[in-house]
Amino acid sequence: MTSKHRGWQERWQINQEGIATHDTGLRVRWEDGQGVAENAEEVVLSLVPEHGTHNAPAMVQRLVREGAQLLINPNSRGWRDGLDSGR
């Protein structure tokens, strides 16, 4: 059985300016030691029709963590990878 999140990195692109962009259009940059979404509200609104008003914001929060992880380590296997590496 495979995870629904398998291959999640393939849905992201990182440009020369250090912006990670997801298939949904969410743009994440690294600022002051954390991932910051440039257009979270816009993406939440676009996800609401399919995923609902409760799930869409949670999805965007997860995507921000994913984008931040890729900015930390583009070869990451999961967003916890770089955060737990000190253990």
Side-chain angles (χ1 to χ4, degrees):
M1 189 165 143
T2 60
S3 167
K4 67 180 179 177
H5 298 294
R6 183 182 172 115
W8 62 270
Q9 304 92 327
E10 297 167 10
R11 300 186 69 195
W12 288 92
Q13 298 294 318
I14 301 175
N15 68 17
Q16 295 289 348
E17 291 79 37
I19 305 291
T21 303
H22 188 261
D23 287 353
T24 60
L26 182 69
R27 294 183 309 273
V28 178
R29 69 180 183 284
W30 191 252
E31 184 177 292
D32 297 326
Q34 64 183 11
V36 177
E38 294 185 342
N39 59 338
E41 291 178 23
E42 171 187 322
V43 174
V44 167
L45 290 175
S46 74
L47 294 173
V48 165
E50 185 175 346
H51 300 284
T53 56
H54 177 72
N55 291 329
M59 290 176 68
V60 168
Q61 288 176 357
R62 178 181 55 81
L63 292 174
V64 170
R65 291 191 306 265
E66 285 183 6
Q69 178 57 38
L70 286 175
L71 292 170
I72 294 168
N73 177 4
N75 300 311
S76 176
R77 292 177 295 150
W79 72 269
R80 292 183 180 268
D81 230 13
L83 302 177
D84 292 340
S85 62
R87 288 184 180 181

